[in-house]
Amino acid sequence: MERVIPKHIALILDGNGRWAKQRGKIRIEGHTVGYKNIEPVALYAQELGVKYLSIYCFSTENWNRPKTEVDFLMRVPIELAKNVERYIKNNIKIHVSGRRDRMPKNTLQAFDTIVERTKECTGMILNVCFDYGALNDIASAINKIKEENIDVDDKTIFNYLSTKDFPPVDLLIRPGGEKRLSNYLLLECAYAELYFVDTYWPDFHSEDLDKAIDDYNKRNRRYGGIKE
Ligand code: IPE
Ligand code: IPE
Ligand code: MG
């Protein structure tokens, strides 16, 4: 049987710190390698035919880390902006989900540049979740709905989330060994298949993505119904 490629994959880029510790390096070195790993994995996902790839890069809770680490992580989008030509060349369109009111100005500017520069790309959408928390995204959605004073049904709230233009997540992959969602795309993952793997994110490569997709292909997605 032909392998089904999930339309929307959500990745939690976890385990950078432990990857570094294991090698006697400082946490930031893990983030550097982890950050560099985004592009090859994204390119491979696009090659496989994934249409939407969401990546969790900085959560609303990650502000609780030491200032030096937070400051370093705030530079990640600036580095990403330096490689924007490569994303354009590969026809990858970048979208950003998350709060815009707390990050440094140059981080925000880097994101705005990346989004603007890739807006005509028609290939895979890379959704960078940064200062993102599902509960915060839901709260903003509810506030917008309140302003518009409209009735809400099961689907309404999705139209107000930062992911409103994307289909729901089919497959959620969390490297790093933890088996939790850590406030990531909670509603979008309502019917996602969940895949947890011990490999740390900096060690997660194309073959690991293949394994996750192979596992997804063994799942029986019933959506509450019955399948033979
Ligand atoms: C993920 O790696 C990166 C961010 C959360 C920003 P961690 O930094 O959480 O790495 P571990 O979980 O401590 O190993
Ligand atoms: C989740 O990882 C957030 C990102 C990868 C950006 P964390 O390392 O912050 O999650 P917890 O604290 O282990 O739940
Ligand atoms: Mg972690």
Side-chain angles (χ1 to χ4, degrees):
M1 247 188 14
E2 208 184 310
R3 190 161 82 143
V4 175
I5 300 298
K7 225 186 204 166
H8 187 172
I9 293 183
L11 262 168
I12 301 181
L13 313 186
D14 195 25
N16 294 350
R18 282 163 288 159
W19 180 92
K21 193 172 176 202
Q22 205 179 45
R23 287 163 177 76
K25 297 173 191 279
I26 54 167
R27 293 180 58 82
I28 280 170
E29 294 184 68
H31 293 314
T32 304
V33 179
Y35 150 70
K36 288 205 178 105
N37 196 34
I38 295 172
E39 193 181 319
V41 173
L43 288 182
Y44 187 63
Q46 157 146 291
E47 196 184 309
L48 291 177
V50 174
K51 301 289 179 220
Y52 303 86
L53 180 68
S54 290
I55 53 171
Y56 204 8
C57 298
F58 191 90
S59 75
T60 49
E61 289 72 31
N62 287 147
W63 292 102
N64 295 329
R65 297 187 177 200
K67 188 175 181 305
T68 45
E69 182 167 341
V70 169
D71 287 348
F72 182 85
L73 290 165
M74 288 297 140
R75 294 198 55 79
V76 166
I78 298 164
E79 293 303 313
L80 201 69
K82 286 184 191 158
N83 299 331
V84 72
E85 289 299 338
R86 294 214 294 270
Y87 285 97
I88 298 170
K89 193 179 123 236
N90 287 291
N91 203 22
I92 293 179
K93 181 172 177 165
I94 296 180
H95 177 274
V96 184
S97 286
R99 288 180 63 154
R100 290 177 56 87
D101 58 333
R102 302 195 288 188
M103 60 180 99
K105 216 171 145 196
N106 53 356
T107 307
L108 194 60
Q109 273 168 351
F111 272 136
D112 288 344
T113 305
I114 303 167
V115 169
E116 174 62 27
R117 296 281 320 277
T118 62
K119 71 173 190 226
E120 309 288 348
C121 295
T122 55
M124 188 179 77
I125 296 192
L126 180 66
N127 179 32
V128 181
C129 300
F130 200 90
D131 200 4
Y132 174 86
L135 295 176
N136 181 264
D137 209 35
I138 294 166
S140 315
I142 292 172
N143 283 325
K144 284 182 214 146
I145 291 169
K146 256 171 52 193
E147 269 171 35
E148 293 182 21
N149 205 13
I150 49 169
D151 284 337
V152 174
D153 66 18
D154 297 20
K155 299 200 177 71
T156 317
I157 196 147
F158 288 98
N159 298 330
Y160 291 83
L161 296 176
S162 61
T163 54
K164 62 179 165 32
D165 299 324
F166 314 152
V169 173
D170 298 301
L171 172 63
L172 174 122
I173 304 173
R174 181 168 192 155
E178 309 297 356
K179 295 180 181 66
R180 55 176 169 257
L181 297 182
S182 302
N183 198 14
Y184 188 39
L185 301 173
L186 299 181
L187 296 184
E188 295 87 339
C189 284
Y191 255 107
E193 297 299 329
L194 310 179
Y195 181 85
F196 300 101
V197 64
D198 288 338
T199 313
Y200 297 136
W201 167 247
D203 281 334
F204 187 97
H205 304 304
S206 51
E207 59 274 22
D208 301 289
L209 186 60
D210 270 325
K211 273 189 212 155
I213 294 175
D214 286 344
D215 197 81
Y216 172 83
N217 274 264
K218 291 186 202 133
R219 310 283 178 96
N220 188 348
R221 301 191 83 190
R222 286 188 292 275
Y223 296 101
I226 299 168
K227 262 189 201 164
E228 291 308 308

